[in-house]
């Protein structure tokens, strides 16, 4: 009877142990199923490269588009490289431990932990860059608006500049007309070769050997537009060879005509103009010791006032 009771007690004990072991086994199974799935080394390496490449592309995009963000982007890139290299080093260590299951498992756990950090970093930077993209789009839009305003302002300036240029051209044209209106016209132009008599009088001659100087006399036509004051007539004498006589010692030089061209003159006559002044004479003779001589042939005279030709005459010497 006692033996039978002992056997029953032992049976209950064995059943209890089995129940406990079964419960523990189920607990372990449930706890394992709630953990993150294990990744092998190849999967970790592949995801690491993918995350690194994706974020590098984003950073490169903004590095080209926004110079002002360059320092911040460099910091992000440096942190990315740091985490990427750390995982690469762990992968290299794992490769060395591939024949040691326990050490390899430890390396894989470390790799998964670092991969979590890399995922979190990439997610955070992706959100940050998305915000930067939004701000950049807003800045582009604002810059476009400013550009439109700038172009409108430039168009207005160009329009005003064109109007100013037109006004200047009109003013210059009016000034030219006024200049033409302020020309001293002449009449009764007489051009002679002459000599002085013993009494000091001027006597015309048509003989080259007797000629001592040229003289042009004329009357000025009254012009109310011309302001009283200093004025000038430029005289050109053209010899029989077609050359304008220019001797600096005898007052020769160059002047600008109404078109701005430089022209030689034989002599210039400066005088004070006033409305009642009518007669004027201009004389020219070769300098003492000059090699220039009066030659046989036809001479011509041209007179200029304020850059415009106002008189022309000819004479012949024999």
């Amino acid at each position: 009877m006692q033996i039978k009771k002992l056997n029953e007690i032992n049976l209950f004990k064995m059943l209890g142990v089995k129940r406990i072991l079964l419960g523990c086994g189920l607990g372990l199974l449930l706890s394992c199923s709630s953990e993150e799935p294990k990744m092998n080394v190849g999967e970790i390496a592949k995801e690491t490269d993918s995350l690194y490449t994706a974020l590098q592309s984003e950073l490169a995009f903004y590095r080209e588009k926004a110079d002002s963000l360059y320092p911040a982007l460099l910091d992000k890139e440096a942190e990315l490289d740091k985490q990427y290299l750390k995982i690469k080093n762990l992968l290299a260590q794992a490769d060395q431990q591939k024949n040691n299951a326990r050490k390899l498992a430890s390396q894989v756990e470390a790799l998964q932990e670092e991969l979590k950090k890399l995922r979190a970093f990439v997610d955070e930077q992706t959100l940050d860059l998305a915000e930067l993209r939004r701000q950049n789009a807003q800045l582009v839009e604002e810059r476009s608006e400013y550009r439109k305003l700038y172009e409108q302002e430039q168009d207005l300036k160009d329009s005003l500049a064109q109007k100013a240029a037109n006004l200047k051209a009109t003013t210059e044209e009016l000034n030219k007309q006024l200049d033409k209106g302020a020309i001293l016209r002449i009449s009764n132009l007489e051009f002679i070769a002459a000599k002085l008599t013993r009494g000091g009088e001027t006597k015309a001659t048509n003989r080259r050997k007797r000629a001592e100087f040229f003289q042009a006399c004329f009357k000025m036509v009254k012009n109310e537009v011309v302001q009283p004051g200093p004025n000038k007539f430029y005289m050109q004498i053209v010899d029989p060879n077609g050359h304008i006589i220019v001797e600096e010692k005898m007052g020769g030089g160059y002047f600008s005509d109404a078109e701005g061209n430089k022209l030689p003159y034989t002599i210039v006559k400066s005088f004070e103009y006033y409305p009642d002044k009518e007669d004027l004479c201009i004389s020219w003779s070769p300098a003492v010791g000059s090699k220039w001589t009066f030659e046989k042939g036809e001479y011509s005279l041209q007179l200029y006032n304020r850059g415009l030709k106002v008189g022309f005459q000819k004479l012949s010497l024999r």
Side-chain angles (χ1 to χ4, degrees):
M1 191 69 176
Q2 290 180 348
I3 293 172
K4 186 178 180 180
K5 286 183 179 180
L6 286 172
N7 289 335
E8 289 177 353
I9 291 170
N10 289 333
L11 179 61
F12 283 124
K13 286 182 178 180
M14 290 175 65
L15 289 172
V17 170
K18 287 182 178 180
R19 187 177 297 171
I20 291 170
L21 290 173
L22 180 60
C24 289
L26 288 172
L28 287 171
L29 181 61
L30 290 172
S31 65
C32 289
S33 64
S34 64
E35 290 180 358
E36 185 177 333
K38 297 290 184 180
M39 298 176 68
N40 60 41
V41 174
E43 291 172 337
I44 293 173
K46 184 177 180 180
E47 185 174 349
T48 299
D49 289 339
S50 177
L51 291 170
Y52 178 79
T53 302
L55 188 53
Q56 272 284 20
S57 298
E58 283 288 303
L59 293 172
F61 171 81
Y62 283 99
R63 196 162 52 241
E64 292 178 2
K65 297 292 183 182
D67 292 340
S68 60
L69 298 174
Y70 192 73
L73 294 174
L74 283 180
D75 291 341
K76 294 177 185 297
E77 197 170 51
E79 180 61 27
L80 175 63
D81 288 340
K82 178 181 176 182
Q83 294 195 27
Y84 180 70
L85 289 175
K86 188 173 183 180
I87 293 177
K88 282 294 184 182
N89 288 333
L90 288 173
L91 286 169
Q93 293 174 18
D95 186 62
Q96 293 174 359
Q97 304 295 337
K98 61 185 177 182
N99 295 324
N100 189 325
R102 190 172 62 182
K103 289 185 178 181
L104 179 60
S106 176
Q107 290 292 340
V108 170
E109 287 182 7
L111 279 167
Q112 289 208 135
E113 188 62 31
E114 292 302 323
L115 184 58
K116 283 183 184 179
K117 294 179 182 178
L118 181 60
R119 286 191 194 119
F121 177 75
V122 171
D123 288 344
E124 180 184 348
Q125 300 311 311
T126 300
L127 291 174
D128 190 24
L129 291 174
E131 176 62 18
L132 288 176
R133 188 190 294 272
R134 185 192 67 78
Q135 293 178 5
N136 186 62
Q138 184 178 351
L139 288 173
V140 168
E141 184 178 352
E142 290 176 356
R143 185 173 64 180
S144 177
E145 290 298 322
Y146 285 129
R147 183 67 183 177
K148 288 179 181 177
L149 291 174
Y150 173 77
E151 289 176 352
Q152 290 174 1
E153 186 177 345
Q154 285 299 114
D155 289 342
L156 179 60
K157 286 183 178 179
D158 292 342
S159 176
L160 292 174
Q162 185 60 48
K163 289 180 180 178
N166 293 340
L167 180 60
K168 182 180 179 182
T170 302
T171 302
E172 289 176 351
E173 183 61 29
L174 288 174
N175 287 335
K176 286 182 180 179
Q177 296 299 325
L178 287 173
D179 286 343
K180 289 180 180 179
I183 298 298
L184 284 174
R185 306 292 177 178
I186 66 172
S187 64
N188 301 333
L189 174 60
E190 183 182 17
F191 177 44
I192 62 172
K195 60 176 291 186
L196 287 177
T197 65
R198 291 181 181 180
E201 295 181 358
T202 298
K203 183 178 181 179
T205 181
N206 60 0
R207 295 181 179 273
R208 65 182 183 84
K209 291 184 178 180
R210 294 180 182 178
E212 296 176 352
F213 59 91
F214 290 109
Q215 185 179 75
C217 293
F218 50 87
K219 289 184 178 293
M220 289 181 288
V221 178
K222 188 175 181 179
N223 188 340
E224 299 292 343
V225 177
V226 180
Q227 295 293 321
N231 214 312
K232 293 179 181 180
F233 278 103
Y234 292 91
M235 185 169 77
Q236 291 178 336
I237 300 175
V238 184
D239 66 21
N241 298 314
H243 301 138
I244 297 174
I245 301 171
V246 181
E247 286 198 348
E248 292 185 6
K249 291 182 179 180
M250 293 304 295
Y254 292 84
F255 73 103
S256 296
D257 66 6
E259 302 300 325
N261 302 310
K262 290 288 184 181
L263 299 179
Y265 63 85
T266 306
I267 193 168
V268 58
K269 178 70 173 181
S270 299
F271 63 98
E272 287 292 320
Y273 172 77
Y274 47 91
D276 294 332
K277 187 175 182 65
E278 292 185 352
D279 298 329
L280 191 68
C281 288
I282 306 174
S283 299
W284 179 86
S285 61
V288 177
S290 172
K291 295 181 180 180
W292 190 90
T293 58
F294 291 90
E295 297 179 1
K296 179 181 178 180
E298 185 178 76
Y299 291 81
S300 62
L301 165 77
Q302 297 182 129
L303 280 173
Y304 288 83
N305 181 254
R306 297 180 68 87
L308 290 177
K309 187 188 295 186
V310 294
F312 177 81
Q313 193 58 270
K314 292 182 179 181
L315 65 81
S316 294
L317 293 178
R318 57 187 177 88

